[in-house]
Amino acid sequence: MCGIFGYIGKNNAKEKLIEGLENLEYRGYDSSGVAIVQNGQVHIVKKAGKVCVLKDELMDSDINGNCGIAHTRWATHGLPTQLNAHPHTDSKNTLCLVHNGIIENYLELKSEYNLTTKTQSDTEIIAELISKIDEKKNLDKIKKACNLLKGSYALAVIFKDEPETIYLAKKESPIMVALGNDGVYISSDANAFKKYANNFYILKNNEFAKISNNNIEFYNKNKKINKKTNNIEKTFSFENKNKYLMQDEIMQTPDALKETALYFDNFKNIKHYFDNVDKIYLIGCGTAYHSCLLGKKYLEFLNVPIFTEIASEFRYSKIKPSKNSLCIFVSQSGETADTIACVKKCKCKTLAITNVPNSSITFNCKKTILMKAGWERAVASTKAYCCQLLVFYLIKCLLKNEKPKWKQLVSSCRKYLKKNNIKDISKKVLNFEKIMFIGRQEDYVTAMESSLKLKEISYINCIACPSGELKHGTLALVDENTLVILISTKHSLHNKNLLSKQEIEARMGCCFVASNIADSKIELPNLSSDLLPILSILPFQLLACEVCISKGYNPDKPRNLSKSVTVE
Ligand code: G6P
């Protein structure tokens, strides 16, 4: 979703800002813009569509300066037009700003302060408010305006009367500052700093920053404060070998698993966190929610009630976990708004499983297990999902005092990906109107995740159904235009699964079996039953990617979706 980048230093800001925005593109957006200060004047360029459109215009222009702010916008209030893109200005043109988050009371503020606006964006209200406030210092204007805002915001502001200074403000939406060799960098996503700096500052709620060339000052609501830096995580480098990030990221799974397993040694004391726990809640969204479903299978031996919850539902449910509950939050990005809302609701033991250090979820949870999947940029989560499952498996081994067999997992994953023969199947998938994934137990979770992968990047209408539920309704959909992919990895259930195949074929549907057991159309890795669920998704990640590419789409940037859903 929306991204902020800023630069003030020795070099040409426009190149830095475009590079920064390119690094934020993976989050999903529909328009972009920059404000650059040149000889004391602020120049704004905004474009609907991709950053490359903005880049072309900016690079051809005479705009040059050493200070600027930039934004990628994912439309929430108002269409994704050039007008609604950030930066926004006030009507007197005294300042411009970029904003991540949502101002919930913007309509109330608009009428209370009699503000007129030219766009449909909630952000413009912030610009109007700041400019209306009668204070001498620009920082105080921002502070006073922020007091009136309800909702979430990360703001970067440039004032016309103080053009070589960038102000920041933060509540709920992330914003960070890094001091590089050639200037100060600002970003809403620490990944975008990697090239320029080794450490960075993270603003907390209700903190502000005043940044000028090589000078960063931090403030809370009352006074100037000192802040400590955080290290920028330079994970092992993953080369880009394929045309698309998603292809690269699937192929990085063996290394991501290995690094995650090795790093897990740092979290062994988590064992005691499970002492005296009487209920476990596993909470996440999208793919991370599917990890929770499989996580439950790994933890069932504990014999305590385990609940799996979709964060966007759980945040509004009447259930409040009791004091002795353990809530485990799974989130690749650590920034998903619904998951963060659940963390805040749970006043018990809280544990994050995430891929991003220093993310909002890690700050809000009492304990964190960090994965080492490396930067995942393609919208469809792949290697991070496998690593989330691995973490649950490693927790199970830790609690049961079993030696984890992760080396076997890594080598099997490597072998499987080398063989990759999903191309033929993907061609066949294109012949069907409807696709269904079915399975039982762990395989049903894989079916759900497979269906999500295929629909999110190839836009094919597909669903997942537990094999045993087919005849309670879903079988009505089966006809000659239907392909059912039956996932079957459990010896004890294989014959039952084959009955489902017959039921489908008797209705003229086509059924491909995906299995590690007998001769099957889609071969799954040959692994023991506790490890296989971590990798049984591989052929379907590859399948989704192939189908998407052969339909002429870009798997890294599916329509209507965003990598990091930072607003509700
Ligand atoms: C979005 C992404 C999904 C992801 C989900 C949860 O929907 O497109 O790939 O699974 O958010 O994200 P998280 O970062 O919390 O795992």
Side-chain angles (χ1 to χ4, degrees):
M1 285 192 154
C2 300
I4 292 176
F5 197 80
Y7 173 76
I8 175 162
K10 291 186 221 149
N11 284 316
N12 195 332
K14 75 179 172 189
E15 277 147 31
K16 297 283 181 187
L17 295 180
I18 290 295
E19 195 172 60
L21 290 185
E22 284 170 343
N23 276 326
L24 297 175
E25 274 191 284
Y26 81 102
R27 301 169 66 85
Y29 69 100
D30 32 48
S31 58
S32 60
V34 297
I36 294 175
V37 180
Q38 183 171 22
N39 302 327
Q41 297 296 316
V42 182
H43 298 270
I44 293 178
V45 183
K46 312 202 276 193
K47 288 282 165 200
K50 297 284 167 208
V51 168
C52 57
V53 183
L54 177 75
K55 182 178 181 176
D56 286 349
E57 174 147 338
L58 204 58
M59 293 309 166
D60 282 348
S61 77
D62 296 331
I63 302 172
N64 288 299
N66 303 91
C67 168
I69 50 178
H71 191 260
T72 46
R73 171 175 186 253
W74 199 85
T76 56
H77 296 72
L79 296 173
T81 57
Q82 182 166 341
L83 182 69
N84 286 329
H86 301 209
H88 284 284
T89 53
D90 62 309
S91 48
K92 288 187 267 163
N93 223 1
T94 62
L95 64 99
C96 70
L97 58 82
V98 293
H99 163 223
N100 283 0
I102 287 186
I103 303 306
E104 288 163 10
N105 60 339
Y106 81 106
L107 288 176
E108 288 95 311
L109 290 170
K110 189 174 172 179
S111 73
E112 194 178 333
Y113 290 87
N114 201 15
L115 308 174
T116 44
T117 52
K118 43 195 182 302
T119 75
Q120 297 143 327
S121 160
D122 54 334
T123 301
E124 199 185 350
I125 292 294
I126 314 175
E128 282 300 322
L129 267 183
I130 297 176
S131 107
K132 265 206 157 203
I133 284 169
D134 192 19
E135 282 286 342
K136 275 202 188 97
K137 289 185 180 164
N138 286 330
L139 179 65
D140 293 334
K141 288 185 186 176
I142 295 177
K143 283 185 180 182
K144 270 204 168 164
C146 285
N147 266 339
L148 302 170
L149 303 177
K150 285 197 184 130
S152 55
Y153 53 81
L155 298 175
V157 192
I158 297 181
F159 290 88
K160 214 174 165 187
D161 64 359
E162 206 181 355
E164 301 293 333
T165 302
I166 301 173
Y167 287 93
L168 305 181
K170 128 109 192 178
K171 193 177 156 213
E172 305 305 345
S173 294
I175 190 87
M176 294 144 231
V177 191
L179 186 59
N181 287 335
D182 59 351
V184 184
Y185 293 83
I186 295 158
S187 179
S188 54
D189 180 337
N191 284 312
F193 289 141
K194 282 189 175 148
K195 200 172 150 191
Y196 318 109
N198 294 320
N199 45 52
F200 64 109
Y201 301 93
I202 302 174
L203 266 71
K204 291 193 186 144
N205 280 347
N206 302 313
E207 287 184 349
F208 305 84
K210 180 179 176 185
I211 301 161
S212 46
N213 209 344
N214 279 326
N215 187 38
I216 312 173
E217 292 169 6
F218 294 103
Y219 298 85
N220 62 20
K221 280 187 171 175
N222 309 313
K223 57 177 195 303
K224 200 170 165 186
I225 53 170
N226 290 321
K227 287 184 77 68
K228 284 193 186 135
T229 55
N230 300 271
N231 288 335
I232 291 180
E233 226 219 353
K234 310 254 168 156
T235 27
F236 43 106
S237 81
F238 284 124
E239 274 178 74
N240 293 110
K241 293 187 177 154
N242 298 284
K243 183 164 178 203
Y244 295 108
L245 290 168
M246 184 175 174
Q247 294 170 309
D248 280 334
E249 287 169 6
I250 296 172
M251 299 313 282
Q252 289 159 5
T253 307
D255 290 327
L257 291 169
K258 182 177 161 196
E259 297 297 328
T260 297
L262 289 170
Y263 202 61
F264 186 78
D265 271 356
N266 295 303
F267 306 108
K268 286 204 164 147
N269 58 5
I270 210 78
K271 192 171 180 179
H272 305 293
Y273 210 47
F274 284 76
D275 292 347
N276 307 320
V277 159
D278 59 15
K279 279 191 200 89
I280 298 178
Y281 292 84
L282 303 174
I283 302 162
C285 296
T287 293
Y289 170 68
H290 294 155
S291 301
C292 293
L293 296 175
L294 274 172
K296 176 177 175 174
K297 304 272 180 210
Y298 280 116
L299 299 181
E300 262 167 358
F301 79 94
L302 286 169
N303 214 10
V304 296
I306 303 178
F307 305 95
T308 47
E309 305 285 350
I310 294 172
S312 55
E313 287 293 309
F314 190 65
R315 65 183 290 183
Y316 296 114
S317 110
K318 293 199 179 75
I319 294 168
K320 291 204 166 56
S322 58
K323 217 171 68 219
N324 290 334
S325 302
L326 167 62
C327 292
I328 304 182
F329 301 90
V330 184
S331 174
Q332 187 284 128
S333 64
E335 297 296 349
T336 301
D338 287 319
T339 313
I340 297 172
C342 292
V343 179
K344 290 184 177 161
K345 166 180 167 157
C346 296
K347 310 285 177 224
C348 55
K349 292 184 174 184
T350 51
L351 168 65
I353 298 177
T354 178
N355 195 31
V356 181
N358 300 310
S359 53
S360 301
I361 288 176
T362 65
F363 283 128
N364 285 292
C365 278
K366 292 176 187 139
K367 302 247 181 241
T368 295
I369 296 178
L370 206 56
M371 310 187 314
K372 285 275 177 180
W375 194 2
E376 191 181 69
R377 281 184 284 173
V379 166
S381 182
T382 54
K383 58 177 179 172
Y385 173 67
C386 296
C387 288
Q388 287 161 356
L389 302 183
L390 171 64
V391 168
F392 278 115
Y393 165 77
L394 293 171
I395 294 176
K396 180 206 82 164
C397 294
L398 180 71
L399 297 176
K400 286 180 97 173
N401 290 322
E402 285 175 3
K403 191 169 182 287
K405 297 171 287 183
W406 62 264
K407 286 189 181 151
Q408 198 183 327
L409 180 82
V410 171
S411 76
S412 170
C413 183
R414 225 181 275 288
K415 260 193 235 147
Y416 189 83
L417 289 172
K418 242 185 212 150
K419 253 199 334 201
N420 174 13
N421 44 17
I422 209 75
K423 262 213 163 87
D424 288 348
I425 306 286
S426 71
K427 281 188 199 132
K428 293 193 177 121
V429 165
L430 290 167
N431 297 330
F432 293 92
E433 268 172 27
K434 290 171 276 183
I435 314 281
M436 275 180 209
F437 289 89
I438 64 169
R440 291 170 192 264
Q441 298 292 307
E442 287 84 346
D443 296 338
Y444 170 49
V445 182
T446 307
M448 286 197 262
E449 175 60 9
S450 305
S451 159
L452 177 65
K453 284 288 92 87
L454 190 59
K455 81 178 90 163
E456 71 182 329
I457 58 171
S458 73
Y459 321 139
I460 292 177
N461 199 341
C462 58
I463 57 168
C465 178
S467 307
E469 275 291 293
L470 256 192
K471 51 185 167 304
H472 297 294
T474 309
L475 204 52
L477 292 177
V478 174
D479 58 17
E480 65 279 13
N481 298 316
T482 315
L483 169 65
V484 181
I485 297 181
L486 162 64
I487 306 170
S488 176
T489 65
K490 288 186 178 299
H491 283 87
S492 57
L493 296 172
H494 194 57
N495 285 339
K496 283 227 165 91
N497 284 335
L498 294 179
L499 284 178
S500 305
K501 183 174 191 291
Q502 284 174 17
E503 284 170 359
I504 293 153
E505 287 171 348
R507 272 94 190 159
M508 308 305 286
C510 177
C511 183
F512 291 171
V513 178
S515 181
N516 57 328
I517 299 173
D519 264 357
S520 54
K521 193 96 180 163
I522 302 171
E523 201 187 316
L524 294 180
N526 193 10
L527 277 168
S528 55
S529 58
D530 54 347
L531 290 174
L532 185 53
I534 304 173
L535 295 189
S536 52
I537 190 63
L538 286 179
F540 308 113
Q541 294 173 343
L542 293 163
L543 178 77
C545 200
E546 278 294 330
V547 171
C548 163
I549 295 168
S550 51
K551 286 183 82 177
Y553 303 130
N554 177 346
D556 298 340
K557 292 172 189 162
R559 67 185 183 203
N560 307 337
L561 297 181
S562 153
K563 179 73 183 160
S564 189
V565 184
T566 50
V567 294
E568 201 178 348

